[in-house]
């Protein structure tokens, strides 16, 4: 396996600024769900694709966060967020498909709005399962494909190419729910819902946790 994330000198800094700038609005949209999902997290947490650090506000002060973030343009804002929220940050510039952590070494892995972006989501989920200890938890919030032949589905397909280009690989119409359902976790708690916002292509979402 190789780390094949292509850092973009233009889109990378723009996205880093954008996601850092809207972190407060993201808290309005997802804060309640994130607080519930993350509330019992251990002292060490692995996050896949933390971006500019939007989830640090939900972690206990002093938490050790192992950040799997291949986009180097996110790193400065990650460090800024870690300082703001008192997080012990360890950045790993690898992709979700190439996590360089030992087997059965983590109690808690989280990702929010990330499996839409990784090049090989199935491989990423396999890596998450590999590093989780038995009975370890993977918690997630992801946007997913809309119902077939729906207006939302039409919008997702229509806007997919420019969205995918600007947001550096994000798929508006990926069936992440089905991927998780067939990933072989011992228990999967998955809730489908719509989160209405100006970001219309990502209205259909899932949230929950998977137990190894």
């Amino acid at each position: 396996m190789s780390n094949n994330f292509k850092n973009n000198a233009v889109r990378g800094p723009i996205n880093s600024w954008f996601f850092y700038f809207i972190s407060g609005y993201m808290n309005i949209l997802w804060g309640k769900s994130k607080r519930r999902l993350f509330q019992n997290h251990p002292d060490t947490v692995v996050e896949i694709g933390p971006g500019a650090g939007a989830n640090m506000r939900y972690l206990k002060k002093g938490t050790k966060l192992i950040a799997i973030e291949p986009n180097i343009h996110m790193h400065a804002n990650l460090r800024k967020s870690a300082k703001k929220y008192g997080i012990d940050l360890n950045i790993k510039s690898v992709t979700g498909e190439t996590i360089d952590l030992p087997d059965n070494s983590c109690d808690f892995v989280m990702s929010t709005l990330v499996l839409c972006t990784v090049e090989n989501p199935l491989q990423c989920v396999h890596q998450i399962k590999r590093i989780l200890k038995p009975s370890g938890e993977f918690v997630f919030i992801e946007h997913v494909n809309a119902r077939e032949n729906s207006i939302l589905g039409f919008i997702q397909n229509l806007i997919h190419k420019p969205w995918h280009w600007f947001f550096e690989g994000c798929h508006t119409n990926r069936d992440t729910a089905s991927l998780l359902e067939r990933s072989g976790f011992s228990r999967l708690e998955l809730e489908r819902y719509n989160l209405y916002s100006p970001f219309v292509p990502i209205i259909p979402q899932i949230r929950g946790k998977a137990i190894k």
Side-chain angles (χ1 to χ4, degrees), residues 142-207:
E142 299 289 344
H143 67 83
V144 296
N145 59 323
R147 182 172 48 83
E148 190 174 356
N149 297 323
S150 65
I151 294 175
L152 276 176
F154 172 79
I155 293 172
Q156 286 180 333
N157 293 333
L158 180 68
I159 203 172
H160 177 264
K161 285 186 177 180
W163 186 282
H164 183 269
W165 177 85
F166 182 81
F167 289 111
E168 300 185 276
C170 179
H171 293 71
T172 57
N173 51 10
R174 181 168 277 175
D175 188 5
T176 303
S178 294
L179 182 151
L180 290 171
E181 287 168 347
R182 63 175 188 268
S183 292
F185 285 96
S186 65
R187 188 167 90 249
L188 177 65
E189 300 174 8
L190 186 151
E191 177 187 0
R192 296 175 182 264
Y193 65 100
N194 288 334
L195 182 65
Y196 295 97
S197 77
F199 305 109
V200 174
I202 67 169
I203 284 175
Q205 297 183 13
I206 58 172
R207 60 191 168 205

Side-chain angles (χ1 to χ4, degrees), residues 28-160:
I28 293 172
L29 292 178
W30 289 284
K32 185 177 179 179
S33 294
K34 290 180 177 182
R35 289 185 183 91
R36 177 168 57 85
L37 287 170
F38 304 160
Q39 63 182 337
N40 296 319
H41 73 80
D43 293 338
T44 299
V45 169
V46 177
E47 182 170 9
I48 313 300
N55 289 334
M56 291 187 192
R57 69 174 70 213
Y58 312 109
L59 302 179
K60 294 174 288 189
K61 188 174 182 178
T63 297
K64 180 179 180 181
L65 175 62
I66 302 173
I68 308 300
E69 182 50 73
N71 189 339
I72 61 173
H73 301 289
M74 297 288 182
H75 292 182
N77 281 329
L78 263 180
R79 294 187 181 98
K80 190 183 299 184
S81 295
K83 183 177 181 180
K84 178 179 180 180
Y85 294 108
I87 302 300
D88 179 8
L89 179 64
N90 176 13
I91 300 175
K92 291 182 171 289
S93 301
V94 297
T95 64
E97 298 96 327
T98 60
I99 302 173
D100 57 346
L101 294 172
D103 295 357
N104 305 306
S105 61
C106 308
D107 293 300
F108 193 92
V109 178
M110 61 187 194
S111 78
T112 59
L113 310 179
V114 172
L115 294 179
C116 56
T117 302
V118 295
E119 184 174 343
N120 188 330
L122 183 59
Q123 180 62 38
C124 180
V125 172
H126 284 165
Q127 285 290 295
I128 292 168
K129 282 182 62 183
R130 179 186 65 78
I131 66 173
L132 278 173
K133 295 177 182 178
S135 300
E137 291 187 1
F138 168 48
V139 299
F140 56 86
I141 297 174
E142 299 289 344
H143 67 83
V144 296
N145 59 323
R147 182 172 48 83
E148 190 174 356
N149 297 323
S150 65
I151 294 175
L152 276 176
F154 172 79
I155 293 172
Q156 286 180 333
N157 293 333
L158 180 68
I159 203 172
H160 177 264

